[in-house]
Amino acid sequence: MTGGRFDVWAPDAERVRLRLGDGRTVAMKRSADGWWLPEEPVLDEVVDYGYLLDDDETPRPDPRSRWQPGTVHELSRTFDPHDFAWTDQAWTGKQLAGSVVYELHVGTFTPGGTLDSAIERLPHLVDLGVDLVELLPVNAVNGTHNWGYDGVLWYAVHAPYGGPAAYQRFVDACHAHGLGVVQDVVYNHLGPSGNYLPLFGPYLHATGHNPWGAGLNLDGPHSDQVRRYILDNVRMWLEDYHVDALRLDAVHALADTSATHLLEQMAIEVDALSAHLRRPLTLIAESDLNDARMVTPREAGGTGVHAQWSDDFHHAVHVALTGETSGYYGDFAPLSTLAKVLERGFLHDGTWSSFRGRRHGRPVDTAAMPTWRLVVCNQNHDQVGNRATGDRLAATLDDDRLVIAALLTLAGPYTPMLFQGEEWAASSPFQFFTSHPEEELAEAVRQGRRAEFASHGWGEQEVPDPQDPATFERSKLDWSELTEGRHAVVLDAYRRLGALRRELPDLTDPSFGSVSCDVDEDARVLTVRRRGGTLLAVNLGDAPAELPADGSLAFTTPTAATLADGVLTLPPGTAALLA
């Protein structure tokens, strides 16, 4: 990549011109590698600009646009990230090991739906014991509101959130509160509207598609520059915006037959940047592969990504608490599956998956992998938002079972991730919402959503219209709930568990060997012992359970367990932690 503000890679174009917001047109000349440079100087000031490709007189936004003050179809605006006066010079970073992650969607986290309004709620996250704040994708998307996974301009921060300057203010404020920032990024596909990359060059794979659209050209002709487009974006977040970690969306959909897979190359460059910046930088993969080689260091023959999600943990907890066994939940009905996930990370580690109709996963070398490399949750944007009505666990579970979900997540052996509002049993759903201006696309999204749930037995009338503004508004958190009724009860439990993670070394012990489980399938009782002496006991049965136990009660569900004369008594649907 060249160093000019207006250089653009367009190897397929015969002519490229720079169109400025004041109407001026500047000719560009082509270099040998397909990059085009302005033939005359452009004033070093904030300007709107776009590119005219060949004989097309419609200017297209910069593929590397940092600022889209209008829509993704309009002119880009120059933005210099170095103009910001950072105050985080003393920030030394935040490692993933031992941390609690909190996932949020900027548009629904606060009534204002902006990065600046999110800053006002950072003290709440500190009180909760959060270490890392994970933002759903913030890149520019078509329309005013969206989950973020329809992004088409990966370098630009969505204007309704406040744009790139607001993003810098947010990260700076997080660091001032002792919070690291994780940015969710999507490199496996582009959104359905506003993707002009194919006009500039062979960004998309000639034949490869995934469930969300055309994949990126990671291994075909000209793929070096496409890979560079992604890798430079990684560097932008970590260096220019001081982000501490990236969550990589659906990496199993990255089709790459190169000798060095994109993920490995990414890990190499991020580790080098971490050494240069002298602070931890972390890559977290969302992977459906159940393969620990993803997070095995390169020196040991792995990809070198630092951590990955374990959806099996979510599925096992969800089924244990709700009894749902449809779809991919089908294999998780026995309580023993939860025990296996707690001891070994995955249920499917080479075992038969009835949902997939084949064997799935690979055994984990538990002697070689620390537990913190698996990020787990009992709720997240996918598992809530991809339900027909976007209903949370709080919509169906009582307070005790909600707190059991929290206890298994926060007192379990892995890196826990919370989803916005779960900590106070938020009443608002998190539904799937879009705001595509094109009516044909909007209708396609509506129909696609309804068809997706037809096989799940949900009626069409139950699936909210993604394009209805009310769907978006319903998904916003109601912060007035925190001090009321069950919300206050659940929030107190989460805060106490957050504090216990910092008090009890067992809860952050990174060794798989520190965990052993016992299951009484008939009584629906699970016990989880840690080598330091803590005992997590869960009674999901219909009758009280009595267990021999040592130590003292460190935590119980709202309906309290009791400990007397070495016997722990758990009422039905309750749990306790002994230390």
Side-chain angles (χ1 to χ4, degrees):
M1 176 183 174
T2 54
R5 291 198 303 164
F6 302 105
D7 299 354
V8 65
W9 186 62
D12 294 344
E14 296 297 326
R15 180 172 64 145
V16 178
R17 292 163 289 160
L18 176 67
R19 172 64 58 83
L20 301 176
D22 60 9
R24 286 183 294 153
T25 300
V26 178
M28 303 187 76
K29 59 183 178 182
R30 178 181 179 135
S31 63
D33 56 3
W35 282 85
W36 294 77
L37 297 70
E39 290 188 354
E40 60 186 71
V42 181
L43 293 177
D44 189 16
E45 59 187 21
V46 176
V47 297
D48 292 345
Y49 68 103
Y51 298 98
L52 302 174
L53 302 172
D54 294 321
D55 296 327
D56 187 354
E57 294 300 319
T58 302
R60 306 301 182 183
D62 185 355
R64 292 174 178 250
S65 171
R66 294 293 189 100
W67 192 1
Q68 285 296 123
T71 72
V72 295
H73 307 286
E74 299 177 50
L75 294 178
S76 303
R77 181 170 294 171
T78 55
F79 177 79
D80 187 349
H82 303 103
D83 287 342
F84 184 72
W86 292 94
T87 65
D88 66 350
Q89 289 79 12
W91 177 252
T92 57
K94 185 77 71 171
Q95 67 177 17
L96 187 62
S99 289
V100 175
V101 184
Y102 187 97
E103 185 187 42
L104 67 86
H105 175 268
V106 174
T108 56
F109 183 57
T110 64
T114 67
L115 289 155
D116 285 325
S117 61
I119 291 173
E120 300 171 8
R121 296 298 179 179
L122 295 182
H124 166 79
L125 302 185
V126 174
D127 291 343
L128 191 60
V130 169
D131 300 285
L132 291 159
V133 183
E134 179 175 322
L135 303 182
L136 267 66
V138 299
N139 40 258
V141 300
N142 186 44
T144 58
H145 54 268
N146 191 289
W147 275 17
Y149 298 91
D150 289 331
V152 290
L153 289 170
W154 293 346
Y155 284 72
V157 176
H158 194 42
Y161 291 167
Y167 192 90
Q168 290 177 311
R169 292 192 294 271
F170 177 81
V171 175
D172 201 46
C174 283
H175 290 172
H177 283 82
L179 299 167
V181 177
V182 184
Q183 182 55 61
D184 192 342
V185 290
V186 184
Y187 297 134
N188 55 65
H189 75 285
L190 292 120
S193 180
N195 173 23
Y196 298 109
L197 291 181
L199 301 180
F200 287 86
Y203 279 89
L204 302 184
H205 201 285
T207 57
H209 283 71
N210 59 53
W212 310 286
L216 274 290
N217 172 23
L218 303 179
D219 53 10
H222 297 289
S223 59
D224 286 352
Q225 287 293 346
V226 178
R227 294 165 73 96
R228 194 73 259 156
Y229 179 73
I230 295 172
L231 294 166
D232 286 349
N233 185 257
V234 167
R235 189 178 186 99
M236 178 198 77
W237 293 113
L238 300 175
E239 188 169 28
D240 293 347
Y241 291 114
H242 293 204
V243 165
D244 301 280
L246 297 179
R247 180 263 189 187
L248 309 172
D249 181 66
V251 298
H252 47 272
L254 294 171
D256 185 8
T257 60
S258 304
T260 301
H261 193 282
L262 176 71
L263 291 174
E264 183 178 356
Q265 186 176 355
M266 194 181 295
I268 291 169
E269 296 195 13
V270 168
D271 285 348
L273 183 60
S274 176
H276 173 64
L277 298 178
R278 306 176 84 174
R279 59 183 174 91
L281 299 176
T282 305
L283 294 174
I284 305 169
E286 181 202 14
S287 173
D288 186 43
L289 302 177
N290 283 20
D291 188 347
R293 289 178 297 182
M294 177 72 65
V295 296
T296 299
R298 298 188 312 279
E299 297 83 353
T303 301
V305 173
H306 306 105
Q308 65 178 315
W309 281 19
S310 171
D311 281 346
D312 282 11
F313 178 93
H314 167 272
H315 302 343
V317 171
H318 186 90
V319 173
L321 294 174
T322 68
E324 291 185 32
T325 56
S326 61
Y328 49 69
Y329 293 138
D331 293 333
F332 293 84
L335 193 58
S336 58
T337 62
L338 177 55
K340 179 179 177 180
V341 170
L342 288 168
E343 290 183 339
R344 303 195 61 81
F346 302 122
L347 170 64
H348 292 304
D349 54 2
T351 60
W352 174 260
S353 166
S354 62
F355 177 71
R356 298 174 179 85
R358 58 174 172 79
R359 292 184 177 275
H360 181 67
R362 184 182 180 91
V364 174
D365 182 357
T366 55
M369 190 179 89
T371 58
W372 63 261
R373 291 195 186 276
L374 295 183
V375 177
V376 302
C377 65
N378 61 70
Q379 298 173 79
N380 64 34
H381 75 277
D382 270 333
Q383 302 299 340
V384 175
N386 283 326
R387 296 174 66 81
T389 59
D391 53 310
R392 299 168 177 268
L393 288 178
T396 54
L397 298 185
D398 61 25
D399 296 356
D400 286 318
R401 287 184 178 245
L402 286 179
V403 174
I404 290 173
L407 184 57
L408 289 167
T409 306
L410 287 162
Y414 308 118
T415 297
M417 185 180 76
L418 314 180
F419 179 57
Q420 62 173 41
E422 79 167 69
E423 72 272 21
W424 76 77
S427 64
S428 56
F430 186 75
Q431 299 176 334
F432 180 73
F433 45 79
T434 54
S435 58
H436 297 301
E438 304 92 341
E439 183 51 40
E440 183 177 345
L441 176 57
E443 183 59 25
V445 171
R446 290 190 192 99
Q447 295 301 328
R449 193 69 176 171
R450 290 167 183 162
E452 181 180 352
F453 291 112
S455 61
H456 289 76
W458 286 306
E460 289 187 5
Q461 72 280 0
E462 295 185 57
V463 182
D465 179 0
Q467 284 288 125
D468 185 347
T471 304
F472 172 60
E473 292 298 326
R474 276 194 300 271
S475 300
K476 290 192 173 187
L477 293 178
D478 180 0
W479 286 85
S480 69
E481 295 180 333
L482 272 69
T483 59
E484 302 174 352
R486 71 178 311 207
H487 307 296
V489 170
V490 174
L491 178 58
D492 176 68
Y494 269 84
R495 284 174 170 164
R496 287 188 288 125
L497 284 171
L500 280 174
R501 278 185 61 82
R502 302 187 180 191
E503 295 171 11
L504 301 177
D506 263 11
L507 302 190
T508 50
D509 187 328
S511 171
F512 271 99
S514 72
V515 184
S516 61
C517 299
D518 289 307
V519 175
D520 185 332
E521 203 73 63
D522 294 330
R524 299 285 291 169
V525 174
L526 167 72
T527 59
V528 185
R529 297 184 183 276
R530 305 294 286 272
R531 94 177 131 201
T534 62
L535 170 68
L536 192 166
V538 181
N539 178 14
L540 296 174
D542 298 324
E546 293 186 348
L547 305 170
D550 297 322
S552 59
L553 278 173
F555 180 89
T556 72
T557 48
T559 300
T562 59
L563 179 64
D565 300 324
V567 176
L568 175 67
T569 302
L570 293 167
T574 66
L577 181 67
L578 278 66

